[in-house]
């Protein structure tokens, strides 16, 4: 399985779970980045190599990953999965979304999504519709 196949497996399931999914394919590496609900439910980095130390993603799906499943870096906790733990990824992102909705309330969650949608980041990240696997 490669990163594109992982993304193609995850994206329809995320959309079915009512996430708004934006995708960005790195130009310099094989990494694929998914933003969930305009970043409100964080994002997923899919890669076949370790990431750069200065960048931290909440959910990391790394080919053949072996190591700590959760790493704390100050206030941020990053979670790590291998390419064959996609159900665990889906559970983790759903838990993240549920926690944010419990914290903010559904109306504020939607309001914050609308605000985040104005970020220039979404010029590069493209919204994925329905069964679009690219």
């Amino acid at each position: 399985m490669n990163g594109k196949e992982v993304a193609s497996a995850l994206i329809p399931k995320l959309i079915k779970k009512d996430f708004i999914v934006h995708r960005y394919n790195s130009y310099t590496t094989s990494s694929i980045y998914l933003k969930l609900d305009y970043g409100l439910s964080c994002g997923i980095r899919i890669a076949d190599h370790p990431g750069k130390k200065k960048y931290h993603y909440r959910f990391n799906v790394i080919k053949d990953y072996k190591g700590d499943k959760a790493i704390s870096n100050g206030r941020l906790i990053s979670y790590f999965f291998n390419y064959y733990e996609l159900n665990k990824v889906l559970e983790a992102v759903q838990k993240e979304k549920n926690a944010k909705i419990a914290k903010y309330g559904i109306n504020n969650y939607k309001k914050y999504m609308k605000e985040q949608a104005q970020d220039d980041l979404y010029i590069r990240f493209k919204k994925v519709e329905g069964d679009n696997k690219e």
Side-chain angles (χ1 to χ4, degrees):
M1 188 178 302
N2 63 39
K4 287 183 179 181
E5 292 168 326
V6 170
S8 291
L10 278 176
I11 290 170
K13 291 176 181 172
L14 290 164
I15 291 170
K16 192 171 184 178
K17 289 179 171 285
D18 292 326
F19 282 95
I20 296 171
V21 180
H22 287 81
R23 177 179 177 155
Y24 176 76
N25 295 339
S26 173
Y27 289 105
T28 57
T29 69
S30 58
S31 297
I32 298 168
Y33 302 90
L34 305 177
K35 286 283 188 187
L36 307 176
D37 290 349
Y38 293 96
L40 225 59
S41 285
C42 302
I44 301 170
R45 176 178 176 266
I46 302 166
D48 58 6
H49 59 280
K52 294 180 181 176
K53 289 263 187 230
K54 66 179 179 176
Y55 298 118
H56 303 280
Y57 300 90
R58 173 76 75 192
F59 304 104
N60 300 272
V61 182
I62 302 172
K63 184 177 184 169
D64 301 326
Y65 180 79
K66 293 176 180 70
D68 294 332
K69 291 296 186 183
I71 296 174
S72 177
N73 182 357
R75 295 181 347 175
L76 178 71
I77 297 175
S78 295
Y79 299 98
F80 295 85
F81 308 89
N82 66 45
Y83 280 10
Y84 299 96
E85 296 179 304
L86 302 187
N87 284 335
K88 289 181 182 179
V89 175
L90 292 167
E91 288 173 18
V93 297
Q94 187 68 60
K95 185 176 176 182
E96 180 80 21
K97 182 175 184 168
N98 292 346
K100 296 277 176 71
I101 290 171
K103 179 179 180 178
Y104 302 132
I106 189 65
N107 291 334
N108 280 335
Y109 184 88
K110 288 179 180 180
K111 180 179 103 176
Y112 298 150
M113 273 199 308
K114 202 174 225 179
E115 291 169 4
Q116 287 294 111
Q118 304 309 310
D119 193 301
D120 288 345
L121 180 71
Y122 296 100
I123 295 169
R124 285 184 298 143
F125 278 73
K126 301 299 177 198
K127 186 173 182 181
V128 182
E129 302 286 347
D131 52 6
N132 179 1
K133 294 181 179 159
E134 188 60 31

